[in-house]
Amino acid sequence: MTMTSFPEGFVWGVATSSYQIEGAWNEDGKGESIWDRFTHTPGHIKDNSTGDVACDHYHRWQEDVDIMKALGAQAYRFSICWPRILPSGRGKVNQAGLDFYSRLVDGLLDSGITPFITLYHWDMPQALQDEGGWPSRAIVDAFVEYADVTSKALGDRVKHWMTLNEPQVSAVMGYQIGRHAPGHADLDEALAASHHLVL
């Protein structure tokens, strides 16, 4: 056997996405996401599972941070739930949502774990999808507003930011093939979504 070595400074971490772990899908002012709508619509998920509770990270985040620390994780890559911050996608900020992520960031830092934030891991506010979603040019300005609100609230402590998780999956699986939220099957929508995601 040969041993693979990692470069000095390599960071070992763990990663999640908000919809997959948070739960609390309709608590503390959070708006509906496209995955909430998608999973609550019969026929989309084979066993009718939803992320309504998931791993209950929203309520059990401290336990989860303790587990990460016990594992020796140096970093935690997590995503922000856009409708938890801006329930309608833009406009009125949900302070309870920002407070949740602020507590999480502080808890990570207190445990010696570096936070890495992804702004979009597929859970767009349903209100924005109702206006056209990623195929609509207006989504770009809404995303800028969301990024601005979130980075201003957490940027004093979070130094590592990513914009989008797998944009091709959002465009193709969500708008061309329809197997992910929002469940559309339209090539023109997928191409427009691809453009706006890259933009």
Side-chain angles (χ1 to χ4, degrees), residues 9 24 31 36 38 67-68 72 74 108 116 127 133 149 165 182 187-188 196:
D36 295 324
F38 187 76
I67 291 169
M68 288 182 244
Q74 299 169 318
L108 290 165
F116 285 69
V149 167
N165 180 76
L187 178 59
D188 289 338
H196 297 137

Side-chain angles (χ1 to χ4, degrees), residues 34 82 86 88-90 120 123-147 164 175 189 192-199:
I34 58 174
W82 188 346
L86 293 161
S88 298
R90 60 171 72 88
Y120 186 73
D123 54 352
M124 176 194 304
Q126 182 63 43
L128 291 180
Q129 179 54 48
D130 292 344
E131 297 175 8
W134 283 112
S136 168
R137 176 63 176 80
I139 193 70
V140 176
D141 294 330
F143 186 83
V144 168
E145 180 180 340
Y146 161 58
L164 308 167
Y175 291 97
E189 282 195 356
S194 297
H195 175 73
H196 297 137
L197 284 155
V198 171
L199 183 62

Side-chain angles (χ1 to χ4, degrees), residues 26-158:
N26 61 353
E27 293 184 37
D28 294 340
K30 177 191 168 291
E32 183 184 24
S33 79
I34 58 174
W35 273 97
D36 295 324
R37 176 74 58 89
F38 187 76
T39 60
H40 291 162
T41 302
H44 284 156
I45 307 296
K46 187 173 182 179
D47 66 356
N48 298 314
S49 295
T50 70
D52 291 2
V53 177
C55 301
D56 202 23
H57 180 67
Y58 186 78
H59 299 111
R60 304 178 70 169
W61 67 267
Q62 184 62 65
E63 295 171 60
D64 295 338
V65 171
D66 292 344
I67 291 169
M68 288 182 244
K69 184 176 180 179
L71 288 171
Q74 299 169 318
Y76 177 38
R77 196 290 298 190
F78 62 98
S79 66
I80 303 287
C81 175
W82 188 346
R84 198 175 294 286
I85 304 300
L86 293 161
S88 298
R90 60 171 72 88
K92 184 170 172 39
V93 174
N94 179 31
Q95 189 60 46
L98 285 176
D99 290 346
F100 164 69
Y101 292 110
S102 186
R103 289 190 301 272
L104 175 59
V105 166
D106 287 344
L108 290 165
L109 293 172
D110 289 346
S111 295
I113 300 168
T114 303
F116 285 69
I117 288 181
T118 298
L119 287 169
Y120 186 73
H121 196 141
W122 310 347
D123 54 352
M124 176 194 304
Q126 182 63 43
L128 291 180
Q129 179 54 48
D130 292 344
E131 297 175 8
W134 283 112
S136 168
R137 176 63 176 80
I139 193 70
V140 176
D141 294 330
F143 186 83
V144 168
E145 180 180 340
Y146 161 58
D148 188 52
V149 167
T150 307
S151 63
K152 282 180 178 174
L154 303 174
D156 59 328
R157 291 156 287 157
V158 177

